[in-house]
Amino acid sequence: MGDGIGRYRGTESKLAHWLRRRPRKPAVDVPSREDLLLATADAGLPLAPAAYPVGYRCSCERIGCPTPARHPVSFAWQTQSTTDRAQIERWAENQPQANFITATGMVHDVLDVPLEAGRAALERLLAEGVDVGPVAESGDGRMLFFTATRGTPEDEDEWWPCELDCHPETMDEHPGLRWHCRGSYVLVPPARLPGDLGVAWVRGPEHPLPDPLTLLEALTDACARHTDEHEHHSVAWPLSR
């Protein structure tokens, strides 16, 4: 009856009044897609537009695309890749669904390992006080460690093409690990993959790029344990052949 009288008299219950006046929690600022891309470019990682998922298919519409939503849009991605803010803003505005890749071997390399191995290695590295740079997790079961490049020596004969480190005969030495350097690329966050998966930062691009050799022992040890446990080798992308 009291509620009915309150409504009839144009009043509210004390509870409703208190709920309306309760201080609201401040909204958490979530970086936009464009903000994340620009932060990555500001860290010196060159970007270029990539394909994106359309359902479980790839936006490139290639029948049987082997790396759906994981590859650049243009065949000229190596020369197209840039850190220019104005260009990246134009791409982000004109291609609102596009993923972005970063070309490796110019400024940075990426050590790409199975997710479980990467998490174990990251925990070990941080516990040992090693300076770990940016790290991203991919929903398809990979972890990406961004490092300074070792692919720009003065002697051009010492370039390390990425395809040289992913052949089957090298997998016993570095099981499950792919070293993205000259001629390769990886997706950068935020990226979307088929099946409502994605790529996200664990440690953002504001962290300085470390020498890859400071991470390599922990990563290869973790990959070896991961391989022993699962009795198979994980295949990384992009496929060079």
Side-chain angles (χ1 to χ4, degrees):
M1 181 181 293
D3 287 343
I5 295 173
R7 286 195 295 268
Y8 178 80
R9 293 178 178 175
T11 62
E12 313 178 62
S13 71
K14 290 182 179 179
L15 178 60
H17 185 64
W18 177 80
L19 287 171
R20 196 178 72 248
R21 294 185 59 186
R22 253 190 330 175
R24 296 181 179 178
K25 294 181 180 180
V28 177
D29 290 332
V30 178
S32 68
R33 166 176 172 265
E34 185 174 311
D35 289 339
L36 288 170
L37 293 172
L38 291 175
T40 302
D42 288 344
L45 280 59
L47 304 180
Y52 57 90
V54 179
Y56 284 89
R57 297 182 296 103
C58 183
S59 62
C60 72
E61 298 184 352
R62 175 183 174 185
I63 297 176
C65 175
T67 54
R70 297 170 174 84
H71 61 82
V73 172
S74 171
F75 289 113
W77 57 270
Q78 293 189 71
T79 55
Q80 185 185 47
S81 297
T82 183
T83 59
D84 181 74
R85 290 177 63 92
Q87 179 60 65
I88 292 168
E89 287 174 340
R90 285 193 292 270
W91 280 334
E93 180 179 356
N94 295 332
Q95 304 178 52
Q97 299 186 74
N99 288 332
F100 280 76
I101 58 95
T102 179
T104 54
M106 293 189 287
V107 175
H108 69 295
D109 292 348
V110 172
L111 300 175
D112 172 352
V113 299
L115 183 58
E116 291 180 19
R119 287 175 172 171
L122 179 60
E123 183 178 355
R124 169 184 165 182
L125 290 164
L126 294 176
E128 293 175 353
V130 177
D131 291 329
V132 181
V135 179
E137 283 190 3
S138 176
D140 58 355
R142 306 294 295 182
M143 182 172 271
L144 310 176
F145 289 78
F146 290 71
T147 71
T149 187
R150 296 183 66 86
T152 54
E154 294 181 4
D155 184 354
E156 276 287 317
D157 292 336
E158 294 184 12
W159 279 100
W160 295 2
C162 187
E163 63 183 19
L164 295 182
D165 5 345
C166 60
H167 293 167
E169 60 268 23
T170 68
M171 295 301 285
D172 288 337
E173 183 179 357
H174 300 299
L177 183 146
R178 174 81 183 277
W179 191 322
H180 296 268
C181 48
R182 191 186 192 193
S184 189
Y185 56 84
V186 297
L187 287 176
V188 295
R192 297 179 298 116
L193 302 176
D196 293 327
L197 303 176
V199 183
W201 289 117
V202 176
R203 290 167 55 86
E206 69 276 7
H207 295 280
L209 296 170
D211 188 308
L213 298 185
T214 64
L215 312 183
L216 198 56
E217 180 181 354
L219 290 174
T220 53
D221 286 351
C223 284
R225 288 195 298 272
H226 172 80
T227 301
D228 290 341
E229 292 171 1
H230 293 79
E231 298 182 350
H232 72 274
H233 297 304
S234 213
V235 178
W237 53 266
L239 302 177
S240 60
R241 296 184 180 181

